[in-house]
Amino acid sequence: MNLLVVGSVALDSIFTPFGETADALGGSAVYFSVAGALLNPVQVVGVVGEDYPFDELERLAPRGIDWSGVERTAGESFRWKGKYSYDLQSRETLETRLGVFADFQPKLPDSARDAEFLFLGNIDPELQLSVLEQVRRPRLVACDTMNYWIQSRKPALMELLSRVDILMVNDGEARELSGDWNIHRAGQWILRQGPKRLVIKQGEYGALLMDAERTFYAPAFPLEEVFDPTGAGDAFAGGFMAYLARTGTVDEKSLRRAMIYGATMGSFAVAQFGIRGFDGLTREAVNQRVGAFQSLTQFEMIEPGT
Amino acid sequence: MNLLVVGSVALDSIFTPFGETADALGGSAVYFSVAGALLNPVQVVGVVGEDYPFDELERLAPRGIDWSGVERTAGESFRWKGKYSYDLQSRETLETRLGVFADFQPKLPDSARDAEFLFLGNIDPELQLSVLEQVRRPRLVACDTMNYWIQSRKPALMELLSRVDILMVNDGEARELSGDWNIHRAGQWILRQGPKRLVIKQGEYGALLMDAERTFYAPAFPLEEVFDPTGAGDAFAGGFMAYLARTGTVDEKSLRRAMIYGATMGSFAVAQFGIRGFDGLTREAVNQRVGAFQSLTQFEMIEPGT
């Protein structure tokens, strides 16, 4: 089924204790699509400046990514510069240059307006709403957001929440949005604002899928080597949405599997700098890691009294 | 099978955003045994001063806790006073008074020397070694420790590690002990020091069971109300060890189930102040919660290619 993502297409400069990159391909829509395209074709809507190495994006097209919805316009591309702490647990934004992203008004090509699965990456909620309105009959809409929009665009964000099926955020964002430090109460508060389901990403601890009645816990894959956490959440979203688009079903069973595909893509994202963790990655390797998740949490039913 | 714990029997004064207690029953051996005794009788070795409300301990005896190994001696009981942050994520120790614990030399009653399952709670590693030497033929030995001993008693602690089957610590302790911030590398380092298995407790995120080849992840039970995290780790240890002692088997299957019993006991511990979370708790209620853990992590096998 058609899968569409709108989000940032950026140039990232990242400093970690293990090395650094300058002006590397990045942004939420890029991580989402390199991960998701391993499972299902992905259409991208976004904007880049004339300085963007568009040929590098084009080189990813054979993997199943349609970049035709990425506008190329005069000006500078979106740039993000960040530095991670020695243990990769926290990061500091050194510089954010919005560039052409500042005046971005997403215009969906006609083909994109037929998307059935839609992911509204972390951009201004007003723009997320504008994209949502341009898609004719989406079957499943999920969105991300961040503290910046929670603080500066609360009304638009609340309007968006009332219109999406799934919100996907990290635990700090869920706490800030709800004003509640208890993550389970925070989740239930968010669910009352509209989304039928909520995904809360908790980094190295895994991710929760919640609805009003149930919680599902997907652990993070145990990794002895982590190089760059950038994009892990977007890769998670890509795996999650692409698995659902691939199967075309959105029931509890497929959502749980989608969580495991998301966690799998997150684990590949952090194992290398930038999007390199997806270089040469095959669907077989993805399925093998998905299979390995089983033994991570599996235990046999205990009969009462034993 | 016989289950023995050595640890602190203390009086806790705890401040949380939801209330406070003064001189309430506490200490690692107390939390361990009130949780563990729901599954298997527990013998306790420890020490209290003449000021200890020993009748309150005696009142717990009908639950299956044998306090005869707790020495009553002249002096003041061990006291701990602590204060939690608004979100219960961190705590500050306001006061520690070792009292009679300072000169504690554990002497096991003869009945305790036949213990088959032994838990060496968080006390001086020299004392943990002394207890270990007094037990004739333990089938399974697990121990806890803390930053204070890692810093001040490293040689004794390393000697202890070479002689136990399972080390059970929290993630901060695993990092400090190994000098590695990556929890999976830290775990493998610890496993090379002796223990065949390692349990790493991660609070609200759950707990890991590791051996040289495998990792098992037990999530924390989702709780919208948490009142007092004190003793959660000791209650986890009590549930874990008592389940193993009850079944008498220590294979991978039973260890995974034991992790779930541990997580279950931890969830009851934090739901009330002090040990009150175990008041009136039945084995049926415990088994019911254990059963609820299944749906928390269960997902169906994914066939390759779907």
Side-chain angles (χ1 to χ4, degrees), chain A residues 122-156:
Chain A
N122 171 28
I123 57 175
D124 188 326
E126 301 277 10
L127 300 186
Q128 292 173 309
L129 281 166
S130 147
V131 171
L132 180 55
E133 272 154 24
Q134 294 176 59
V135 176
R136 292 187 185 97
R137 290 183 56 189
R139 280 191 51 200
L140 183 80
V141 181
C143 76
D144 189 4
T145 191
M146 68 183 292
N147 296 355
Y148 182 76
W149 309 121
I150 295 171
Q151 288 153 21
S152 65
R153 293 281 192 281
K154 194 72 170 278

Side-chain angles (χ1 to χ4, degrees), chain B residues 194-216:
Chain B
K196 284 185 287 295
R197 290 193 169 87
L198 171 66
V199 174
I200 300 180
K201 297 167 289 180
Q202 302 186 301
E204 66 167 310
Y205 300 111
L208 298 168
L209 169 69
M210 296 175 63
D211 65 19
E213 275 94 38
R214 281 164 302 200
T215 299
F216 172 69

Side-chain angles (χ1 to χ4, degrees), chain B residues 130-295:
Chain B
S130 148
V131 170
L132 180 54
E133 272 155 23
Q134 294 176 58
V135 175
R136 292 188 184 98
R137 292 183 55 189
R139 281 191 50 199
L140 183 81
V141 181
C143 75
D144 189 4
T145 191
M146 69 183 291
N147 297 355
Y148 182 76
W149 308 121
I150 295 170
Q151 289 154 20
S152 65
R153 293 280 192 283
K154 194 72 169 277
L157 179 58
M158 297 310 287
E159 163 72 13
L160 179 70
L161 286 186
S162 73
R163 294 173 62 182
V164 301
D165 300 297
I166 303 178
L167 174 68
M168 194 176 284
V169 287
N170 67 37
D171 43 9
E173 290 154 358
R175 290 189 169 105
E176 178 151 3
L177 181 57
S178 64
D180 197 327
W181 55 265
N182 179 295
I183 203 67
H184 303 287
R185 273 199 314 258
Q188 293 302 324
W189 184 92
I190 291 169
L191 289 167
R192 288 193 294 275
Q193 313 311 311
K196 284 185 287 295
R197 290 193 169 87
L198 171 66
V199 174
I200 300 180
K201 297 167 289 180
Q202 302 186 301
E204 66 167 310
Y205 300 111
L208 298 168
L209 169 69
M210 296 175 63
D211 65 19
E213 275 94 38
R214 281 164 302 200
T215 299
F216 172 69
Y217 198 98
F221 193 76
L223 291 174
E224 291 192 28
E225 301 294 342
V226 173
F227 285 102
D228 176 11
T230 312
D234 301 308
F236 184 106
F240 180 90
M241 291 296 288
Y243 177 77
L244 294 174
R246 179 176 172 75
T247 59
T249 54
V250 193
D251 56 16
E252 180 73 15
K253 273 186 195 177
S254 56
L255 284 162
R256 288 179 171 221
R257 291 177 185 172
M259 289 288 287
I260 302 299
Y261 273 92
T264 295
M265 295 302 180
S267 75
F268 286 116
V270 302
Q272 296 286 337
F273 275 98
I275 59 169
R276 283 186 226 156
F278 297 96
D279 283 355
L281 189 62
T282 62
R283 194 181 292 169
E284 287 64 40
V286 170
N287 282 334
Q288 195 171 13
R289 182 156 294 182
V290 164
F293 268 86
Q294 281 271 334
S295 80

